[in-house]
Amino acid sequence: MKLLINLGLAFAWTAATALSAVVADPYSAPRVTFQDLRLQQKICSHPLYCEGPILRRIQLGGVFDSDKTFIDMPTRKPVSQVVDAFNKLPANATRDDLVKFVSDNFHPAGCDIKQAELDDWTDDPPFLKGVTDPVLRGYGMALHNQWKGLA
């Protein structure tokens, strides 16, 4: 059983880490390096809102005061058309060029968010009924009431 656990741990380590041998000289011992594969995995592959030339140019171009604004903007056109429009920008596009590109291809940030109606909302949530400490109950109620504004 202990052997199976050790093999399982070894497999998990191997799955999360790439082992590569680098041989600087055929007569010397190989130098072994470990590289974490998690750093190489792409978390997001969207051509507009993830790491890539479009996001990089918009963020570095100083179009917005906040780095979050652009990624909150839905497109006005299909993504492929937005990518084509971006590829037509000159390599030395100015900030004004980037602002026009964004204005032509994206809606304002947050315009796609709609207020939700919480049908099952209750002002006195059952999970707080068992909390007797007034401070903890008050904190729980304040936290509970935040959902109205978040929904």
Side-chain angles (χ1 to χ4, degrees):
M1 183 65 160
K2 188 174 184 179
L3 178 61
L4 289 176
I5 291 171
N6 287 341
L7 287 174
L9 292 174
F11 177 75
W13 172 258
T14 305
T17 308
L19 175 63
S20 62
V22 180
V23 179
D25 166 28
Y27 299 106
S28 66
R31 186 179 74 237
V32 178
T33 62
F34 292 93
Q35 185 175 6
D36 194 338
L37 286 179
R38 290 170 293 186
L39 298 176
Q40 294 178 7
Q41 291 177 345
K42 230 180 180 174
I43 295 169
C44 178
S45 61
H46 196 281
L48 304 177
Y49 304 112
C50 300
E51 182 182 0
I54 296 175
L55 180 62
R56 190 176 310 112
R57 293 271 302 272
I58 299 301
Q59 301 294 46
L60 295 177
V63 175
F64 302 104
D65 292 334
S66 169
D67 289 339
K68 189 176 180 305
T69 303
F70 177 67
I71 61 172
D72 287 341
M73 299 176 77
T75 60
R76 295 182 185 274
K77 306 170 185 173
V79 172
S80 61
Q81 290 179 16
V82 176
V83 171
D84 289 343
F86 177 80
N87 289 333
K88 291 177 183 170
L89 286 173
N92 60 348
T94 65
R95 181 183 180 281
D96 289 339
D97 294 333
L98 295 173
V99 167
K100 181 170 178 8
F101 164 76
V102 169
S103 176
D104 290 347
N105 294 283
F106 295 88
H107 291 288
C111 74
D112 56 336
I113 297 174
K114 295 176 178 50
Q115 187 74 27
E117 193 62 40
L118 302 175
D119 298 331
D120 59 347
W121 177 262
T122 176
D123 287 328
D124 191 23
F127 71 89
L128 286 177
K129 290 188 191 303
V131 179
T132 56
D133 183 314
V135 173
L136 290 177
R137 185 169 172 74
Y139 175 75
M141 190 59 87
L143 191 61
H144 173 70
N145 287 329
Q146 292 295 315
W147 284 110
K148 288 181 184 178
L150 295 173

